[in-house]
């Protein structure tokens, strides 16, 4: 933990935006250097222009590869494109539009200026689904999309995600092909065609804000929120949801206060994260110290990250652990969405809390437990066989009242509004309801520790097998399972999970940063959790050193 974690950023913490933008065009990556190649992690390609890992050459090559990929897949409909508020997002979006237009792709970008020009990830997913509603899987007119965002990553980073016609994150088959083709183009020094300024200026436009806000009543009980006059505040944390929350306040009649100074590419108003970096992660207590001064008059304060696919929920008890809120959300939704299919399941990632398992079992539902990555929930959300999918990192989405898909990507706006609905309908805050759930199912102690890890260590961790672990006990309990594949779908975890009767831990490499994440939980209290964490770190250390 950095000594200044949770404190306001200082001038020396801020990026030089001009230098970053100059590096985007001036630095040419070396494809022979693994750190400068195109690599798609759990949420697209990410990097920094200053490190030669997110530059104009990368985006031109990726965009050309996407144009080839969609043509090979028989996709000839429009490609929706949107960008968040990171400094690198606007130039990367322009590069992509130039390349895609030159390749003959019908591109649709955001209508409006200022804050309305930014597009949250869920709004783009929502637009894709609306366009494709009623179309067959082989309909050439299907739409797909690109979101230019590194999500919650620091201000110096850029990110680039592809969402196929199902509206959610692309699977590894698609991203693997796109990355390989992009790297081929980089290695060849290909002269990629680009449209001129006139064509870019004339690109087709779409009102993402209105299309999203005007249909929120299909998934959220807005009447209940309005009637209860829940005092709600939202801090967009300088991200792409700024215009959306303003529109929700102004047009839906909700008692809502939008906090914060708006968009700032340096994010100078933020409080520092655990490692002393500026990071827009609304699930981090250090980051959400940014909203502490506003807590008094509001029942709920919600936060979103830069592309609004994550949520943070603050009640009078403070910032909720994402796992706690997921458990409450699932419990509430299963009792207040009568038209959802009784046969549909609930999706959670393997590193999410065990209390979710107990809530789902009590509701008589099937649990789909998958590796980290929202892409695993996409098929179920798209066809209605999964009514809710959630990740411990505060990303989730759920179906409309009628059981149709709302968004097949994470939706931090939707989950923030759900917190207000829960308060309005039940008269309890989500944290109050969570205390009732723990009285019924037991109270877990849960934590995640991030530790620095080299690329070599991350690769070793991601390739482990159960046979690599010879331990038979963990923190005094007999080990009951050692997993490197998810029980819900048999997909590789990309790390290791060890379970006992009362506790578990999971270790996996980050897909976006040089860190190793160790998750742990115990239903025997905080002291036992500390023992589990220590034992987990020792076990992982032994395995990686063998």
């Amino acid at each position: 933990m950095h000594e200044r974690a949770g404190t306001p950023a200082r001038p020396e913490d801020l990026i030089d935006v001009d230098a970053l933008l100059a590096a985007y065009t001036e630095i040419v990556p070396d494809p022979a250097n693994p750190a400068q190649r195109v690599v798609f992690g759990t949420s697209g390609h990410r990097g920094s222009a200053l490190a030669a890992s997110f530059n104009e050459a990368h985006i031109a090559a990726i965009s050309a590869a996407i144009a080839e990929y969609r043509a090979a897949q028989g996709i000839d409909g429009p490609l929706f494109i949107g960008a968040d508020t990171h400094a690198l997002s606007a130039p990367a979006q322009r590069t992509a539009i130039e390349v895609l237009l030159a390749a003959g792709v019908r591109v649709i970008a955001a209508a409006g200026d200022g804050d309305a020009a930014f597009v949250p990830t869920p709004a783009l997913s929502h637009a894709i689904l609306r366009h494709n509603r009623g179309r067959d899987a082989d309909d050439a007119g299907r739409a797909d999309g690109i979101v230019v965002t590194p999500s919650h990553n620091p201000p110096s980073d850029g990110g680039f995600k592809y969402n196929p016609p199902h509206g959610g994150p692309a699977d590894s088959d698609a991203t693997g092909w796109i990355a390989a083709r992009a790297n081929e183009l980089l290695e060849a020094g290909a002269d990629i065609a680009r449209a001129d300024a006139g064509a870019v200026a004339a690109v087709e436009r779409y009102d993402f804000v209105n299309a999203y806000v005007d249909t929120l009543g299909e998934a959220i009980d807005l009447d209940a929120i309005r009637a209860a006059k829940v005092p709600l505040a939202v801090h967009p944390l300088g991200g792409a949801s700024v215009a959306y929350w303003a529109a929700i306040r102004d047009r839906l009649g909700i008692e809502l206060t939008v906090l914060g100074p708006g968009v700032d590419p340096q994010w100078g108003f933020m409080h520092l994260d655990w490692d002393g970096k500026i990071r827009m992660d609304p699930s981090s207590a250090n980051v959400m110290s940014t909203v502490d001064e506003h807590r008094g008059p509001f029942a709920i304060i919600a936060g979103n990250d830069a592309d609004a696919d994550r949520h943070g929920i603050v009640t009078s008890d403070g910032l909720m652990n994402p796992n706690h809120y997921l458990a409450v959300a699932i419990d509430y939704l299963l009792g207040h969405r009568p038209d959802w299919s009784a046969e549909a399941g609930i999706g959670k990632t393997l590193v999410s809390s065990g209390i979710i398992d107990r809530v789902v079992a009590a509701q008589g539902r099937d649990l789909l437990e998958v590796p980290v990555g929202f892409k695993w929930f996409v098929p179920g959300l798209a066809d209605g066989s999964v009514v809710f999918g959630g990740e411990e990192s505060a990303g989730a989405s759920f179906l409309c009242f009628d059981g149709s898909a709302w968004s097949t990507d994470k939706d931090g706006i939707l989950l923030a509004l759900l917190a207000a609905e829960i308060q309005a309908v039940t008269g309890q805050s989500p944290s109050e309801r969570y205390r009732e759930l723990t009285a019924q199912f037991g109270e877990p102690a849960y934590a995640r520790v991030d530790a620095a890890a080299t690329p070599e260590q991350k690769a070793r961790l991601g390739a482990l097998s159960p046979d690599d672990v010879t331990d038979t006990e963990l923190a005094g309990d007999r080990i009951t399972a050692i997993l490197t594949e998810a029980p819900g779908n048999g997909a590789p975890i990309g790390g290791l999970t060890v379970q006992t009767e009362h506790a578990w831990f999971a270790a996996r490499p980050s897909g976006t940063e040089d860190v190793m994440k160790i998750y742990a939980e115990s239903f025997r209290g905080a002291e036992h959790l500390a023992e589990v964490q220590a034992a987990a770190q020792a076990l992982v250390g032994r395995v990686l050193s063998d």
Side-chain angles (χ1 to χ4, degrees), residues 56-387:
E56 188 170 18
H58 292 111
I59 305 308
I62 296 171
S63 301
I66 289 174
E68 293 181 20
Y69 176 82
R70 69 194 310 269
Q73 298 296 312
I75 303 169
D76 194 35
L79 182 144
F80 291 95
I81 190 168
D84 77 358
T85 55
H86 278 78
L88 288 173
S89 294
Q93 177 176 242
R94 182 178 181 88
T95 299
I97 291 174
E98 291 172 352
V99 171
L100 292 165
L101 288 177
V105 177
R106 177 189 167 197
V107 179
I108 302 181
D113 299 316
D115 294 343
F118 302 115
V119 180
T121 287
L124 185 127
S125 176
H126 183 268
I128 294 172
L129 292 177
R130 294 297 157 130
H131 178 89
N132 293 340
R133 182 175 288 177
R135 296 179 183 270
D136 295 332
D138 59 354
D139 187 328
R142 292 169 296 155
D144 54 1
I146 290 171
V147 190
V148 188
T149 175
S151 190
H152 62 290
N153 277 28
S156 60
D157 284 9
F160 203 80
K161 301 194 297 186
Y162 174 62
N163 285 33
H166 57 50
D171 62 25
S172 55
D173 289 340
T175 58
W177 190 96
I178 292 167
R181 179 57 179 150
N183 284 319
E184 287 178 0
L185 294 171
L186 287 175
E187 291 164 357
D191 184 14
I192 298 172
R194 311 268 282 263
D196 61 23
V200 173
V203 72
E204 192 172 342
R205 300 289 175 174
Y206 179 81
D207 190 341
F208 286 98
V209 177
N210 286 341
Y212 181 93
V213 172
D214 288 349
T215 53
L216 274 168
E218 297 177 12
I220 292 291
D221 189 346
L222 298 174
D223 289 338
I225 298 173
R226 279 190 287 259
K229 297 186 183 300
V230 175
L232 170 67
V234 177
H235 199 311
L237 299 181
S241 64
V242 171
Y244 290 73
W245 285 114
I248 290 168
R249 176 197 62 204
D250 297 341
R251 292 175 24 212
L252 298 185
I254 291 175
E255 189 170 320
L256 168 64
T257 300
V258 182
L259 305 173
V263 175
D264 170 13
Q266 292 182 304
W267 273 277
F269 58 88
M270 293 292 295
H271 288 220
L272 303 181
D273 204 359
W274 65 275
D275 55 358
K277 294 182 179 180
I278 295 175
R279 189 180 283 110
M280 293 64 70
D281 181 358
S283 69
S284 165
N286 293 306
V287 170
M288 290 297 280
S289 297
T290 304
V291 310
D292 281 352
E293 63 180 294
H294 304 288
R295 282 176 54 183
F298 302 109
I300 294 171
I301 299 179
N304 292 135
D305 62 341
D307 69 322
D309 69 347
R310 294 189 181 206
H311 60 272
I313 306 299
V314 179
T315 71
S316 60
D317 297 309
L319 177 68
M320 290 191 72
N321 180 298
N323 283 291
H324 300 178
Y325 181 56
L326 291 182
V328 170
I330 292 166
D331 177 73
Y332 172 83
L333 287 167
L334 291 179
H336 293 83
R337 297 297 188 269
D339 293 333
W340 282 0
S341 168
E343 306 302 318
I346 299 293
K348 63 161 264 192
T349 50
L350 197 68
V351 297
S352 300
S353 174
I355 196 169
I356 295 173
D357 305 46
R358 300 179 184 195
V359 167
V360 172
Q363 293 274 7
R365 295 277 182 163
D366 291 331
L367 182 71
L368 177 70
E369 197 168 12
V370 300
V372 171
F374 203 79
K375 64 184 180 182
W376 302 110
F377 302 130
V378 171
L381 289 170
D383 66 16
S385 61
V386 170
V387 293

